[in-house]
Amino acid sequence: LTRHLMGRTNVSCHHLAFGSSVGQATLYLTGQPAVNSATNSLIAPKNPVGTETVELCTIDGFASDNGIPRIDLLKIDAEEADLDILVGARSMLSSQRVAFVLTEVGFHPGDTRHVLFDDVRSYLVPLGFHVFGIYEQTPEWSGHRLHYANVCFSNEKAFSGR
């Protein structure tokens, strides 16, 4: 990522992971970086090919440390750690400094790779968010129920004064 974005003054890369707390975390590697790094996770998979220690921080802390007053779109696809990341963004979310949250969710409790839609919705609705749209829906292999999708939540109050 750093190599591909070299020379872009409006982009900065950070070697870290977001979560609900600050510290260090183990990143489980699931494939060669150029091939399958999109499924690396802080949640241990069945057969990791390696591990890496990364700094763990919260979105609230990162935004404060880097002078980020608001986030227009918070996109999360963290292989079941999505709710932990939202917990680490509670101050920004509750103070209407995030306009949209787009996160990958699962739709049944037996899904071990996705955070449950009901849990994300239950966390965000009291903070002023509502479902804006459901995208990239993926059905179960049988086709009889929804397995996972990207769900976008919006907070109308985050748009006031813009």
Side-chain angles (χ1 to χ4, degrees):
L1 181 65
T2 302
R3 184 173 42 92
H4 287 293
L5 296 173
M6 223 158 58
R8 295 185 186 236
T9 57
N10 62 338
V11 176
S12 56
C13 298
H14 302 269
H15 188 78
L16 55 85
F18 288 118
S20 59
S21 61
V22 175
Q24 290 189 328
T26 300
L27 179 68
Y28 295 92
L29 308 176
T30 56
Q32 295 299 317
V35 177
N36 202 19
S37 65
T39 60
N40 293 345
S41 177
L42 299 180
I43 308 297
K46 289 180 184 174
N47 298 309
V49 298
T51 62
E52 182 179 321
T53 300
V54 295
E55 291 300 314
L56 185 65
C57 66
T58 65
I59 288 178
D60 286 338
F62 184 84
S64 176
D65 292 348
N66 290 280
I68 300 170
R70 65 174 280 114
I71 298 171
D72 292 327
L73 173 64
L74 176 57
K75 168 65 171 109
I76 306 171
D77 183 353
E79 303 304 316
E80 197 185 357
D82 304 59
L83 191 55
D84 285 342
I85 293 169
L86 291 171
V87 168
R90 184 167 186 91
S91 177
M92 291 203 62
L93 294 167
S94 64
S95 61
Q96 288 79 44
R97 293 187 293 139
V98 177
F100 291 95
V101 173
L102 180 62
T103 186
E104 188 176 78
V105 298
F107 290 91
H108 10 240
D111 185 349
T112 60
R113 292 301 289 175
H114 301 97
V115 65
L116 192 60
F117 167 77
D118 297 340
D119 294 341
V120 173
R121 185 179 178 281
S122 294
Y123 184 77
L124 290 174
V125 166
L127 300 177
F129 287 84
H130 62 273
V131 174
F132 180 80
I134 301 176
Y135 309 96
E136 300 167 324
Q137 299 176 36
T138 303
E140 287 287 336
W141 65 269
S142 66
H144 298 293
R145 64 182 184 178
L146 191 57
H147 182 144
Y148 66 92
N150 286 310
V151 177
C152 187
F153 297 85
S154 68
N155 186 326
E156 292 176 23
K157 294 179 183 175
F159 297 102
S160 62
R162 278 200 63 109

